[in-house]
Amino acid sequence: MFSTPGGLFSAPTAPTRQRGARTALLAAIFGVLLVTGLGTNPYAASASVLQLHGALSRVEEFGIISHRGAAALAPENTLAAMRIAFDQGVDFVEADLHLTADGVPVLMHDPTVDRTTTGTGPVANLTLAQIQGLDAGSWFDGAFAGERVPTLEAFLDELAPTNSRALIELKGSWNDEQVAAAVAMLDARYLMDRVAFESFEIDNLERLAVLAPNYARVMLTREWNRPTLELAAALNISAVGARVSVFEADFALVEEARVLGIGTMVYTLNTVKQWKQARSHGIDLVITDDPVSLEQWRHSQSATV
C-alpha cells in the first residue's frame, strides 16, 4: 500500500474555531486548495504499510467491512447479524443509526421501519418503546422471529468484548447533544480506537470534529470530483466513502486523495470481479455482504505477491 507525510488517515486535529466561524475558515482553506491545485502536490505515494488513524489503524491492504453485520446470514443491523459477524472474526462491522422520537439511537438503515420490521412509519416518529415492540427478524427468516431493533448501547455492549471494530453511520441530522451522548457511550467502553464514524451530512461531520476529535471520520458522498476532494481535505476527513460507480467518475482522484492522506472506501461489493476492480484502482476499504469470501480472496492475492 502506501504512506504519506503525516500518515494516511492521520488524526483529525481538534478544531479551535467556534461553529459560527466555520464557514469563513472553510472558505479560506478552499481558497488555498484552489490556488495551489491538488494535482501539484510534490509528495508521491509509495508502497508501504498503511498509517491509519483510530479504528482505521491496523487495517491490512484492502480492509474489509461487513455490511450491516452479517447481512447475508441474518437480518441486517440486528444483534444476531452482529454476533455472526463477530464470530467470523471480521475486520469491521458496519452499522447504521437513526434517532427515535425520544432521541435514542437505534440500528436501522432505512428512515422508516417498514422494510425490516413488522411496523410502519418513520423511525423519527416512533418512540424507543414502540420500535422495540416490533419484530425485526421474521422478514428475513422465520428462524429469526422475535429479533428486536437494537439500541446503540446494546450494540456497543456486544462489540466491546470482541476483537472486531465498527464503522457507524449517523443517519439524518444530529444536534450537539445527540452526538455528545453517542460519543459518551463509546468513551465509556474505551472504544476510541475501535469505532469510526461516517455520515453524508456535513453538519454531523463538523460536530464530530468538535465533539469527537480523536475518532476517525468518513465522509460519505454521491459525487466524486475535485470539489468533493477539496471538501474532504478542508474538513480533515480520514476517508471518503461512495459506491464504486461514483468513484468511476474519476479514478485518478483516488491517487490524489492518497497523496493528501485521505483514504477511499466503496460499498457494497460482493464479487471477485468487483474486488479486483477496486483493488486495481487503489481503493483502501471495501464494504461487503460476504466478508469471509473476500478475506479468502484477499489472502490468496497476498500469497501470490
Side-chain angles (χ1 to χ4, degrees):
M1 294 296 283
F2 60 90
S3 63
T4 62
L8 178 66
F9 300 171
S10 56
T13 56
T16 59
R17 64 192 186 278
Q18 297 296 320
R19 286 189 61 83
R22 284 178 179 157
T23 302
L25 178 60
L26 290 177
I29 295 174
F30 278 128
V32 172
L33 289 170
L34 291 170
V35 170
T36 59
L38 292 173
T40 61
N41 192 304
Y43 300 105
S46 59
S48 182
V49 176
L50 283 171
Q51 303 287 323
L52 302 177
H53 166 246
L56 299 181
S57 65
R58 298 175 287 113
V59 171
E60 297 182 35
E61 179 180 4
F62 217 53
I64 299 171
I65 303 169
S66 188
H67 191 219
R68 305 176 194 172
L73 303 175
E76 65 182 58
N77 278 317
T78 62
L79 294 185
M82 296 302 170
R83 288 167 183 151
I84 293 172
F86 296 150
D87 289 344
Q88 291 175 333
V90 299
D91 294 346
F92 283 87
V93 294
E94 184 254 356
D96 306 286
L97 292 183
H98 275 283
L99 292 163
T100 65
D102 40 354
V104 180
V106 295
L107 272 63
M108 179 74 62
H109 176 270
D110 297 358
T112 71
V113 300
D114 298 45
R115 181 176 63 86
T116 58
T117 78
T118 52
T120 59
V123 178
N125 291 352
L126 300 171
T127 65
L128 176 63
Q130 290 173 315
I131 287 177
Q132 292 199 314
L134 304 176
D135 182 332
S138 58
W139 68 272
F140 183 87
D141 189 281
F144 294 99
E147 193 72 24
R148 302 302 173 194
V149 176
T151 63
L152 170 61
E153 189 167 24
F155 165 64
L156 296 179
D157 284 342
E158 294 284 338
L159 172 68
T162 73
N163 292 321
S164 295
R165 286 161 284 165
L167 183 64
I168 296 177
E169 180 179 351
L170 303 188
K171 295 278 193 179
S173 294
W174 294 46
N175 62 33
D176 287 355
E177 182 180 0
Q178 291 161 343
V179 170
V183 172
M185 292 182 199
L186 273 63
D187 287 345
R189 294 164 178 79
Y190 304 100
L191 293 172
M192 181 189 304
D193 293 329
R194 292 179 53 203
V195 173
F197 289 101
E198 62 177 344
S199 186
F200 279 100
E201 305 296 331
I202 299 304
D203 282 352
N204 289 344
L205 295 171
E206 289 187 328
R207 286 188 169 92
L208 287 165
V210 173
L211 300 169
N214 294 318
Y215 285 81
R217 290 169 290 129
V218 178
M219 184 177 82
L220 300 177
T221 183
R222 296 180 179 88
E223 295 183 343
W224 180 237
N225 49 35
R226 196 165 299 280
T228 301
L229 186 53
E230 290 167 353
L231 177 59
L235 293 172
N236 204 12
I237 290 297
S238 299
V240 175
R243 295 185 182 277
V244 69
S245 58
V246 173
F247 282 117
E248 284 174 347
D250 195 344
F251 271 125
L253 279 180
V254 171
E255 182 63 22
E256 294 192 28
R258 288 180 162 197
V259 173
L260 291 172
I262 298 172
T264 47
M265 178 189 78
V266 296
Y267 57 88
T268 303
L269 308 188
N270 295 319
T271 68
V272 171
K273 180 180 179 180
Q274 292 173 323
W275 301 335
K276 285 182 177 178
Q277 180 191 34
R279 189 172 189 261
S280 69
H281 288 292
I283 299 296
D284 303 299
L285 297 153
V286 174
I287 294 179
T288 182
D289 291 317
D290 193 359
V292 173
S293 295
L294 178 49
E295 164 59 30
Q296 293 170 345
W297 180 82
R298 181 177 67 177
H299 180 74
S300 71
Q301 297 303 297
S302 298
T304 59
V305 174

